[in-house]
Amino acid sequence: MHRRNFLVRSSLFSVGSVLLPSVSFALETDLKFGVQLYSFRDQMAKDPLGTLEQIANIGIKEIESARSTKGHYYGLTPKSMKQACEDLGMKLVSGHVHLDSDFDKTMEEAAASGQDYLICSSMPSDGQTVENYKKVAEEFNKAGEACQKMGIKFGYHNHEYEFESDQGKVLYDVLMDNTDPNLVHMELDLGWVVVAGKDPLDYFKKYPGRFPLWHLKDMDMDKKESTEFGKGGLDIQAMMNHRETSGVKHILIEQEEYASTPLESMQHNMDFLNNL
């Protein structure tokens, strides 16, 4: 190679080395950012199809539904919800449900919708005790087995209260230690973890590969409510740097309170992630 060409190529390589970190995140991962539709709860109740179109237009690729007054799919049938997402280039990957007497019907709907996960959104019984959490863990194992037979994965979404302690044990850890990883797939809400005074990275290390789903949620630590990315107490860059340890496959953004509107807040969040 002529010396001049070598210097030119070396210079370009040096420039590329500086620029690469800004694009490496997009190049090195197959993750498609999604949203928990509770973030758009009022809009979904009024106009589900129009709201899904707005969500798709800001680059959201995956959807997680939430239980509403109109059912799990906002008045749509499971199949029409699936089709609406597909028409917009999105995938319905998960849904928040209750583990209750209607769970058989819930599983049938999930199978019809084509979603991969059913996520229990709250503890099915009261009692902040080790005994209750062990009992619930067994219920989760049974639900996971039932879902597995229908080609669905069962999981659980935490809040803040699971990180309270009883008998010297963190209750969330009791749940983790007594559920079968092959049957119960955890959706870790990173925002509630930090509000509870815990570090999600500690859980990634203690239970590697156990968190195929995240709720990515920044939190105002004073108000204990969600806020736009970069404004709260969650170190989002650190979470992303350790995502492989966690085992995450689906990063679902959730925001329950907004500076202006849900759509503007979600656009801010997507811009933040794309600029990491």
Side-chain angles (χ1 to χ4, degrees):
M1 185 185 300
H2 293 296
R3 183 173 182 275
R4 184 183 175 205
N5 290 341
F6 173 79
L7 290 173
V8 170
R9 295 189 187 186
S10 296
S11 298
L12 290 173
F13 179 79
S14 297
V15 172
S17 297
V18 173
L19 295 177
L20 270 175
S22 65
V23 298
S24 61
F25 180 79
L27 292 175
E28 293 177 3
T29 178
D30 293 328
L31 287 173
K32 299 174 181 178
F33 295 115
V35 67
Q36 161 53 252
L37 287 179
Y38 188 73
S39 305
F40 294 87
R41 52 197 176 276
D42 295 335
Q43 293 79 3
M44 287 298 297
K46 295 174 183 176
D47 181 12
L49 296 179
T51 302
L52 288 173
E53 184 175 2
Q54 288 183 319
I55 292 170
N57 287 340
I58 61 172
I60 297 292
K61 296 299 183 183
E62 297 190 336
I63 294 295
E64 181 176 60
S65 63
R67 186 180 175 120
S68 73
T69 55
K70 295 183 177 181
H72 294 129
Y73 305 101
Y74 311 93
L76 303 175
T77 66
K79 289 185 178 180
S80 61
M81 181 69 172
K82 174 185 179 182
Q83 189 63 54
C85 289
E86 290 179 352
D87 290 345
L88 293 166
M90 299 189 294
K91 159 74 174 169
L92 177 66
V93 297
S94 179
H96 273 203
V97 301
H98 288 174
L99 185 56
D100 54 20
S101 57
D102 293 326
F103 193 64
D104 285 345
K105 179 183 177 182
T106 298
M107 288 190 293
E108 291 172 2
E109 289 180 345
S113 77
Q115 69 193 62
D116 301 317
Y117 293 87
L118 267 182
I119 303 296
C120 179
S121 59
S122 60
M123 290 288 285
S125 59
D126 295 329
Q128 291 296 88
T129 65
V130 169
E131 288 74 18
N132 184 52
Y133 274 65
K134 285 184 175 180
K135 184 188 77 170
V136 168
E138 186 55 34
E139 292 178 26
F140 284 175
N141 287 331
K142 291 178 180 177
E145 189 173 5
C147 282
Q148 192 177 70
K149 292 177 180 178
M150 298 188 68
I152 310 164
K153 299 180 179 73
F154 175 82
Y156 180 68
H157 166 272
N158 65 279
H159 295 84
E160 179 185 5
Y161 57 81
E162 293 91 343
F163 295 93
E164 296 175 4
S165 295
D166 179 52
Q167 301 177 35
K169 298 180 179 180
V170 177
L171 293 171
Y172 189 76
D173 295 21
V174 173
L175 206 57
M176 294 293 293
D177 294 338
N178 289 276
T179 47
D180 184 338
N182 295 314
L183 297 175
V184 182
H185 307 268
M186 292 299 188
E187 178 175 70
L188 196 66
D189 189 308
L190 307 181
W192 285 123
V193 176
V194 296
V195 167
K198 307 294 184 182
D199 188 342
L201 299 184
D202 291 338
Y203 277 90
F204 296 171
K205 294 172 185 175
K206 186 174 182 179
Y207 301 103
R210 289 289 305 272
F211 307 103
L213 302 100
W214 288 359
H215 267 192
L216 189 59
K217 179 195 298 179
D218 209 351
M219 298 293 282
D220 183 318
M221 301 299 283
D222 294 324
K223 295 181 179 179
K224 292 190 175 183
E225 63 181 36
S226 57
T227 187
E228 288 76 21
F229 288 177
K231 298 180 181 181
L234 182 68
D235 188 341
I236 295 175
Q237 183 68 70
M239 300 301 107
M240 290 299 183
N241 290 344
H242 293 85
R243 63 190 183 278
E244 290 186 7
T245 304
S246 76
V248 69
K249 299 176 181 177
H250 306 281
I251 296 179
L252 301 160
I253 305 166
E254 182 182 41
Q255 189 167 336
E256 298 159 311
E257 294 85 19
Y258 327 97
S260 52
T261 67
L263 191 63
E264 289 178 4
S265 290
M266 201 59 61
Q267 181 66 69
H268 168 96
N269 293 338
M270 289 296 290
D271 291 343
F272 183 95
L273 291 173
N274 288 329
N275 286 314
L276 283 179

